[in-house]
Structures are given as structure tokens and as C-alpha cells.
Amino acid sequence: MATTGRNEPCPCGSGKKYKKCCLLKKDEFASRQREKQSAAPRALDWLSTRYPEEVAEAVHYDFFGDPDEEEMQAINELPPHLQEMLQVNIGEWTLADAYLEIGGERKPVHELILSSGGPLLLAAGRDWLRRLSENMLGLYEVRESRPGESLRLHDLLRPEQPDTWVAERSASQSLVRGNIFGARLVAQDEGWVLSGAVYPFSRDDGLACRDEILYEMTGTDWASEIARDVIGGQIGLHWLDTLISPLPLPELVDASSGEPILGTTDRYRVSDRAALAALLAEQPDVDGDGDEGWVRIAELDDGRSRIQASLTLTRKDILEVFCRTRKLADESRAWLERIAGQTLRHQSRELVDPRSPKALEAIAPTAPPDISPEVMATIVHDYLRKHYANWVDEKIPALGNKTPRQAIRSAKGRQAVIELLESYEHLEARQARDQGGQPFDFGFLWEQLGLQRNL
């Protein structure tokens, strides 16, 4: 691409030389950006030099919430990328929201920084720090992402407010519709930008944080300093809690028996393959053969059937019997030894938690078939549409075992259904971002329930 010489006419058509027009503006913009980027480190260095103990005390008690030794150890053991994010968030909080105890008086840090006795800052840097302190932290949901350019954010704490477009190059590359995070918006001449600190949440954690803030804010003026402390404090503490106290994985439960799911494989040495096959063929609840394997099927009270055990005979005369719970495995072992004990001998049992790395590796997708991405997307989307065809009339555990159609009859249930649909769309958007293609459109479910989609 051809470049314009400094003394050539400016491409904008102003009639001025390039160095006196757009190049000058470009250089001035770059200079202001450098001043803004250096302002926060310079101000933090000034604070740590003059008020090291006061800053440390404010961070310990007000940002971290006076953690105990175990919590501090967990914080110190965070991986490097989270430590870096934590330091950025602490630094911005200190400059925008912190108060220091100085001479028996609580003083806001931003006033100390911007006062006549504060650090030496150039105009663009002072202006950035001033604007940084004007807005409190907020909790936002991504409604639209233009990768490399901008994000459209929805205020979860004040949903009646119009969505805000923010210029953001890096985060817009990874965030998708439905992501929730805490952040501070800063007004610039060219529009809104993110300040730099970010508090990312899973959807469940983000919505829980929202609910806690709204509860704490009952009867509080949103424009008050109390609101600033409540909102910023809750976002920070909720985020820290997700870092140092990750929730244990939920126990997976078998729907038909209520037993914990624990993949159980019993192995038997077979002395007579033909006799075993003949005995299994006589069982009315067994289907299959020695080549493809057998399944033992149980009839449920509601008329449906469910596999109790899968049996596979290997070439080395080993019979592998797989059951999804330990209880089913115990029952299957007793049954098998009763009907075919003379043809086999138990050798070993293997237990695998379905959430373990071994189980996840076993179910990892194999290489995709030689099908075009467009055809594959059509196949997947057709499957999903069939899968969700009766969703609005199926009982959903997340809705208290109500159907979505039943749940929307109350305001609370209606909101739960909306958030559930939004979580589905968020997962689809993430998958489309990671694997390419277009996300599956859940619009037909919104229409069936008569719900207004958040666009």
C-alpha cells in the first residue's frame, strides 16, 4: 500500500500538506494515548511512595474484604494470567474508588491524585484519571459483538437503560452474546470505552451477583456514594470468590434410579464362548449377539425402556460388562453369575467418574467426516430443531420440574425461562466463535412461548 509523504497533499482533500493535517492529528492522538496509558502507573507509583501503609490497608480491607490466611494463600497461588488481571483491577479500584485513612480522615484517592499536591501529570493523563473516577463499576451482558471493533452492552443492574456501544478491540475478539462481566465505562470524545479492568463471570455467577446487588440496593439512591460502594464491592467480592472458591462439580445422577452416575466396567474370563452366547440368547430381557455385543433392557413403569447393562465379548475371551452406576453393576453381576456362572469367572472392576479427565478423553470427538461445513451445519441444526421440538411442554429441572409453558405463568418463572433461553443462545454463540459457522437459532422457542427476545 502506497504511503503519503510528509510534504505531499493530505489525502483528506483539505489542501494542506499531510504533515500539517491528518499526520499531525494522528501524532497528537498517539501522544494523548501514551499520556493516558502512563497516567495510572505514575499515579500508583506516587501513592505507593507517599502512602504505602494506607494503600495496603485499603486494598486488604476494602478490596479483598479482610480475607483470612487460607483465602490469602489461595489468592497468592492464582495462576499468572489471573494474577495479572487481579493487579490491573486492584490498581484501577485504588485510583477510582479507594479511600485512604490519612491523619484520622478518610480521603478519596482520586482527589489526592488530582489535587495540586498530586503527581505530575500531563493534561491527557489528568483528564483520563478524572473520567475514570466519574463512573462506578457496572455489571453488563454482551448483546452484540463486532470482533476487533466494538461491543453492545446491556446494563443488568438497570435494564431500563438503553444498551451502550463501547469501542473495544481485544475483548470483542473473544466475547460473544450472553457473556457477563463487571467493568467501568469511560466517556471519551469518540464515544464510550472500557477502562481496562474487567471482572468476568460465568452466566450463573453473573446473574447471582446481579440478584445480590439488587437486593442490597433496595431503597438506596443509585447516584449515592453508598451505591458506588455496594455495587463495586459486590462485583469485586463475587469475582474474587469465583477465583478462590470454585464450586465443586455437581454430582451426576441417573434419572431412572436416582443413583450417582459412576461408569462401572466388570471383566470376566470366559471359558466357553458358545455356551455363554446360548445362555444370553435365552434371556427375554437381553438383545444382541456375540458379534455386536448384548444389552440387557429393563421396562420402566411409564412404558419406556432403559439399558441396564452393555456386554461385549472381546477376541481374548474377555467379557466386559458396562453399567452407568455401581448399583446397576452389582445387580448385573449377580444376575450374570446366576444364569451363566459356569461359563465365566470375574476378574476385575473399573470405576470411572464421568467428569474425570479419563472419561472426558474417552468421549472426545473423533476426526470429523469428509462433509462440507455447510452440510454439517444443516445436519446439526436439523437435529437440534427436532431435539427442542417439544421443549416448551417438557419438564425442566432448572425450572423446578415445570414445563416452560407452565413456568411463564408467574413473573419469577417467566424470568427464569428467559434466562434459560439466553443461556442456550450464549453457549451456541461460544461454539460458533470457537468452531466457526452460524449459531443455532432458538427464535422458534421464543415465539412459541410468546416471549420478547432481547435483541
Side-chain angles (χ1 to χ4, degrees):
M1 181 181 293
T3 58
T4 304
R6 293 173 55 84
N7 292 311
E8 294 179 8
C10 188
C12 74
S14 65
K16 299 179 181 179
K17 290 184 178 181
Y18 181 47
K19 67 180 181 181
K20 294 292 186 179
C21 189
C22 287
L23 179 59
L24 180 61
K25 295 177 182 177
K26 183 178 179 181
D27 290 342
E28 289 175 347
F29 176 79
S31 177
R32 289 196 301 273
Q33 292 299 108
R34 288 193 295 271
E35 290 177 22
K36 289 192 292 186
Q37 291 170 2
S38 65
R42 187 174 299 176
L44 290 170
D45 286 344
W46 181 86
L47 281 171
S48 63
T49 300
R50 284 160 178 76
Y51 307 107
E53 295 180 1
E54 292 86 349
V55 170
E57 183 174 313
V59 170
H60 182 85
Y61 287 99
D62 298 335
F63 184 85
F64 285 127
D66 191 18
D68 57 29
E69 291 185 8
E70 184 177 348
E71 290 170 330
M72 265 326 294
Q73 181 178 353
I75 291 170
N76 293 330
E77 292 176 352
L78 290 173
H81 72 284
L82 291 179
Q83 288 285 0
E84 183 178 353
M85 181 184 295
L86 179 61
Q87 292 307 313
V88 170
N89 291 358
I90 290 174
E92 183 184 293
W93 173 85
T94 301
L95 295 174
D97 294 331
Y99 281 76
L100 303 185
E101 286 283 348
I102 301 175
E105 183 181 353
R106 279 173 57 85
K107 295 185 178 181
V109 166
H110 68 269
E111 290 186 5
L112 293 172
I113 295 294
L114 298 175
S115 68
S116 58
L120 179 62
L121 298 168
L122 297 176
R126 288 180 61 83
D127 181 65
W128 171 256
L129 293 181
R130 177 183 60 79
R131 297 191 185 207
L132 189 68
S133 64
E134 287 178 346
N135 283 348
M136 68 179 76
L137 275 176
L139 192 63
Y140 300 98
E141 178 187 31
V142 177
R143 285 289 169 81
E144 188 176 347
S145 175
R146 295 175 180 172
E149 296 181 7
S150 57
L151 297 165
R152 179 162 64 91
L153 303 181
H154 177 68
D155 191 333
L156 286 178
L157 302 178
R158 289 178 283 184
E160 72 281 358
Q161 298 292 322
D163 292 351
T164 303
W165 279 102
V166 296
E168 176 56 44
R169 291 186 178 181
S170 58
S172 61
Q173 299 278 11
S174 57
L175 295 177
V176 297
R177 177 182 172 87
N179 276 123
I180 294 175
F181 62 95
R184 194 185 313 268
L185 306 189
V186 180
Q188 296 287 274
D189 294 339
E190 60 272 20
W192 292 96
V193 298
L194 297 179
S195 62
V198 63
Y199 300 77
F201 292 100
S202 69
R203 277 195 64 84
D204 287 345
D205 287 332
L207 295 176
C209 180
R210 176 203 62 184
D211 293 343
E212 181 66 23
I213 291 174
L214 293 178
Y215 175 80
E216 294 287 339
M217 284 294 295
T218 303
T220 301
D221 181 3
W222 285 83
S224 66
E225 283 299 314
I226 295 178
R228 189 184 189 100
D229 290 342
V230 168
I231 295 171
Q234 287 293 335
I235 289 174
L237 291 177
H238 267 77
W239 177 69
L240 283 170
D241 192 52
T242 65
L243 296 186
I244 66 175
S245 303
L247 293 175
L249 289 172
E251 184 177 60
L252 302 179
V253 177
D254 178 49
S256 62
S257 65
E259 293 291 318
I261 292 179
L262 187 64
T264 307
T265 301
D266 283 309
R267 294 182 175 86
Y268 300 80
R269 169 66 65 180
V270 177
S271 58
D272 191 332
R273 295 172 65 102
L276 174 65
L279 288 168
L280 290 175
E282 295 174 357
Q283 307 306 312
D285 55 352
V286 174
D287 189 20
D289 55 46
D291 294 328
E292 299 295 331
W294 299 269
V295 290
R296 186 184 181 208
I297 302 172
E299 297 295 332
L300 303 181
D301 293 338
D302 60 5
R304 294 180 299 165
S305 59
R306 194 169 184 85
I307 294 177
Q308 296 287 88
S310 299
L311 299 83
T312 304
L313 189 58
T314 71
R315 293 180 180 178
K316 297 182 178 180
D317 291 335
I318 298 295
L319 179 69
E320 295 186 344
V321 182
F322 174 80
C323 299
R324 60 187 176 277
T325 71
R326 190 197 297 262
K327 182 178 180 181
L328 286 176
D330 290 341
E331 293 174 353
S332 295
R333 179 176 177 179
W335 162 79
L336 189 59
E337 291 179 344
R338 185 179 70 253
I339 67 166
Q342 70 275 21
T343 67
L344 46 75
R345 185 180 74 256
H346 188 265
Q347 282 194 322
S348 65
R349 169 172 286 189
E350 180 182 15
L351 304 175
V352 178
D353 188 318
R355 301 162 300 183
S356 67
K358 182 175 182 179
L360 295 176
E361 181 180 350
I363 63 174
T366 56
D370 188 17
I371 300 177
S372 71
E374 294 79 12
V375 173
M376 180 61 74
T378 300
I379 294 172
V380 171
H381 286 196
D382 285 347
Y383 167 79
L384 289 174
R385 180 169 286 276
K386 293 176 182 176
H387 178 76
Y388 287 103
N390 301 315
W391 182 82
V392 298
D393 294 309
E394 293 176 352
K395 293 182 178 180
I396 309 295
L399 301 176
N401 282 327
K402 293 182 179 179
T403 70
R405 203 184 298 276
Q406 292 170 334
I408 62 173
R409 294 171 185 170
S410 69
K412 184 177 180 181
R414 185 183 186 87
Q415 184 60 33
V417 172
I418 290 174
E419 291 178 356
L420 189 59
L421 284 172
E422 288 178 340
S423 72
Y424 292 168
E425 293 183 330
H426 172 55
L427 291 174
E428 274 296 303
R430 285 177 55 187
Q431 184 168 332
R433 177 200 66 192
D434 296 338
Q435 302 179 12
Q438 293 297 316
F440 178 69
D441 186 3
F442 288 92
F444 69 102
L445 295 181
W446 293 87
E447 291 176 6
Q448 287 179 19
L449 294 171
L451 297 175
Q452 181 66 40
R453 202 175 191 178
N454 293 318
L455 300 177

